[in-house]
Amino acid sequence: MRTATLTDTTLTSPALPEIRAFIVENFLLGKDSGFDNGESLLESGIIDSTGIMHVVAFLEERFGIAVDDDDMVADNLESVDRIANFVDRKQDLRDAA
C-alpha cells in the first residue's frame, strides 16, 4: 500500500477533524502522536484490519453514509485524508439522490 497524499479537497473537508479525533480517541487512547493526515493508518500501525471495521461503523453512523463492500479499498480508507474525501463524495452522492 502506498502513502496517500494531501489534496485540496481534504484540506477543506468538514469531516476531517471529526475523523481524526475519532481515530485518536479510539486507537491512540486520546494521545495524538502528530501523525500526518496523509499517512497510511495500516502501514503506520495506528489501525489494523479489524480497526477499519470500527472506523466504517463510525462513518456510517456519524455521517449517515452507507459503506459498501466495494468501497472497502485503500483508495477510500487508507488515511485520514482519504477517509474524509470518501465521506465527502458519499455525502454528495446521497444529497444528489
Side-chain angles (χ1 to χ4, degrees), residues 39-93:
E39 184 175 339
S40 171
L41 297 169
L42 290 170
E43 286 183 8
S44 64
I46 294 172
I47 295 178
D48 61 16
S49 57
T50 304
I52 290 293
M53 298 308 297
H54 192 56
V55 171
V56 166
F58 165 73
L59 297 176
E60 290 181 326
E61 181 178 327
R62 172 61 188 96
F63 298 105
I65 61 172
V67 179
D68 300 322
D69 289 344
D70 293 343
D71 295 328
M72 306 260 305
V73 295
D75 282 347
N76 294 332
L77 303 171
E78 182 179 32
S79 67
V80 172
D81 283 335
R82 287 184 181 221
I83 295 169
N85 197 4
F86 170 68
V87 168
D88 288 347
R89 288 191 321 269
K90 292 294 272 190
Q91 287 181 319
D92 287 347
L93 287 172

Side-chain angles (χ1 to χ4, degrees), residues 3-43:
T3 301
T5 57
L6 189 63
T7 65
D8 289 341
T9 302
T10 56
L11 287 174
T12 59
S13 172
L16 192 143
E18 286 188 62
I19 294 166
R20 184 179 178 97
F22 175 81
I23 290 169
V24 167
E25 185 64 31
N26 290 280
F27 298 99
L28 298 173
L29 305 175
K31 297 178 183 172
D32 193 334
S33 63
F35 68 93
D36 188 275
N37 287 333
E39 184 175 339
S40 171
L41 297 169
L42 290 170
E43 286 183 8

